Amino acid sequence: MGDAVELEVAGRTVRLSSPDKVFFPERGFTKLDVARYYAAVAPGILRALRNRPTTLERYPDGVGGEWFYQKRAPKGMPDWIPTAHITFPSGRSADEMCPTEEAAAVWAAQYGTLTFHPWPVRAGDVDHPDELRVDLDPQPGTDYADAVRAAHELRAVLDEFGGLRGWPKTSGGRGLHVFVPIEPRWTFTQVRRAAIAVGREMARRMPEHVTIKWWKEERGRRIFLDYNQTARDRTIASAYSLRPRPQAPVSAPLRWEEVGTAQPADFDLATMPARFAELGDVHADMDDHAYSLDALLELARRDEHDHGLGDLPYPPEYPKMPGEPKRVQPSRARPEPTA
């Protein structure tokens, strides 16, 4: 696999063993290519990860091998990478990697990390998210163009309810993510409630194109706005993360004028460093903003009061939540007994 090499990243020396190990066979990209990629976009991915508890999606033998999510900080992590203590819905807890320096992503690449999954919180307050994350997930029969159409309507909804601004990025697949920086004043439950309100408003405006139905059998050929991505311990791949697909795609930050013109295939391990060198981090100003969820939470209140639209199902591994409807897919639900 070749002799170990050392990379210099923002004043840190990171040792990389087996640099010639192939991680993306279809493209021939190696472990060293992955590490150099993260060094090239280091300021951007640090902006996305800074002070955030981060789960690592690791592929020690490349995309064709075994892989796993690492939530607890790896043993032997250097002391210049701090941790943050987080609690899972089960009540268990862990200390997660919490990057504060550019070299952290390169260090994680040494251990086969391809994708970084940061929590929407900062280390100083792990119970109050500072981002509302909207995941536009194409369902069978839909594609990226459908996600683009939904994203533009989402932009209008966000602006209408509180003057919110979102920062869009490709998922690295067929979908789009839109992140909204918010004041860290609300709990995970409240932020999820705001996401549900966004989804319901989107579904009202685009009933043939957007759905918030949790059960796949009810979604049809529509874009699913995955409100449960805002639940505690659910994360979305960070900006600049590589995705474990044959072509080594990247979750690419976009400017709004690029949504619909740029394509997901435009951004990968080979092309993103040149884009970053030319444009820098196009989401660099996200941290300069923090919006209020008051208008969306008022929309959620009206939905419940005026239309009886309360909570929606949580993922199956979550404990039953107060006010949650039955967590049974409609085709398997038993009919209500008659009087």
Side-chain angles (χ1 to χ4, degrees):
M1 297 297 178
D3 295 334
V5 299
E6 292 185 341
L7 299 179
E8 296 293 327
V9 184
R12 296 287 184 187
T13 300
V14 180
R15 184 178 183 274
L16 201 72
S17 63
S18 304
D20 298 331
K21 179 183 285 188
V22 176
F23 271 22
F24 291 92
E26 192 162 313
R27 302 287 300 276
F29 295 141
T30 65
K31 184 178 183 180
L32 180 59
D33 292 324
V34 170
R36 284 176 170 164
Y37 166 77
Y38 281 122
V41 300
I45 195 163
L46 177 61
R47 189 268 311 155
L49 303 179
R50 189 192 303 273
N51 292 323
R52 298 189 184 281
T54 299
T55 298
L56 308 179
E57 187 176 346
R58 291 177 55 187
Y59 292 76
D61 295 313
V63 295
E66 297 292 325
W67 66 278
F68 58 96
Y69 291 110
Q70 178 143 9
K71 296 188 175 184
R72 287 169 173 78
K75 293 181 179 179
M77 193 169 71
D79 58 10
W80 53 267
I81 301 178
T83 61
H85 192 74
I86 46 88
T87 302
F88 304 118
S90 65
R92 300 175 67 184
S93 62
D95 293 317
E96 287 206 354
M97 176 183 179
C98 194
T100 58
E101 297 189 28
E102 292 181 9
V106 180
W107 177 86
Q110 153 66 12
Y111 294 90
T113 301
L114 296 184
T115 307
F116 296 83
H117 296 267
W119 281 49
V121 299
R122 307 282 184 171
D125 185 355
V126 296
D127 293 317
H128 295 89
D130 70 343
E131 287 181 345
L132 169 66
R133 298 173 174 180
V134 182
D135 180 9
L136 299 173
D137 184 12
Q139 300 303 289
T142 62
D143 56 21
Y144 181 72
D146 297 298
V148 165
R149 183 176 179 182
H152 286 297
E153 187 62 38
L154 171 64
R155 187 184 187 187
V157 169
L158 292 173
D159 182 64
E160 183 174 333
F161 290 93
L164 309 183
R165 175 186 168 193
W167 278 254
K169 67 184 184 70
T170 67
S171 67
R174 297 186 304 132
L176 278 164
H177 303 149
V178 179
F179 286 10
V180 181
I182 60 174
E183 301 168 5
R185 296 198 286 121
W186 296 276
T187 64
F188 280 92
T189 301
Q190 290 171 312
V191 173
R192 179 177 173 274
R193 183 174 171 84
I196 290 173
V198 170
R200 283 179 168 144
E201 182 65 21
M202 289 283 293
R204 282 190 285 265
R205 296 184 182 201
M206 307 179 74
E208 300 301 317
H209 301 285
V210 174
T211 182
I212 199 170
K213 298 290 188 182
W214 176 246
W215 304 107
K216 291 183 180 180
E217 65 188 35
E218 295 185 301
R219 293 177 191 169
R221 296 175 59 176
R222 292 178 286 185
I223 297 296
F224 172 50
L225 192 147
D226 189 354
Y227 62 89
N228 269 329
Q229 291 289 27
T230 53
R232 180 186 287 272
D233 193 32
R234 293 297 281 258
T235 56
I236 294 177
S238 77
Y240 300 103
S241 274
L242 291 166
R243 306 312 309 273
R245 297 183 175 92
Q247 294 298 311
V250 171
S251 183
L254 300 175
R255 298 167 295 193
W256 274 108
E257 58 266 28
E258 295 178 298
V259 176
T261 57
Q263 297 296 312
D266 296 338
F267 310 106
D268 61 28
L269 184 153
T271 61
M272 180 56 78
R275 172 181 168 88
F276 193 88
E278 178 185 358
L279 300 177
D281 179 13
V282 298
H283 286 187
D285 62 335
M286 273 189 70
D287 290 346
D288 297 335
H289 302 268
Y291 296 99
S292 171
L293 291 181
D294 286 343
L296 285 178
L297 291 173
E298 172 59 20
L299 175 62
R301 188 199 66 78
R302 293 202 309 268
D303 278 344
E304 185 167 11
H305 181 270
D306 299 343
H307 306 292
L309 299 174
D311 202 358
L312 293 173
Y314 274 78
E317 70 273 17
Y318 280 65
K320 183 70 175 178
M321 300 295 287
E324 182 187 1
K326 288 183 178 181
R327 204 180 296 176
V328 180
Q329 65 188 76
S331 62
R332 295 187 179 183
R334 295 179 179 179
E336 295 290 337
T338 56

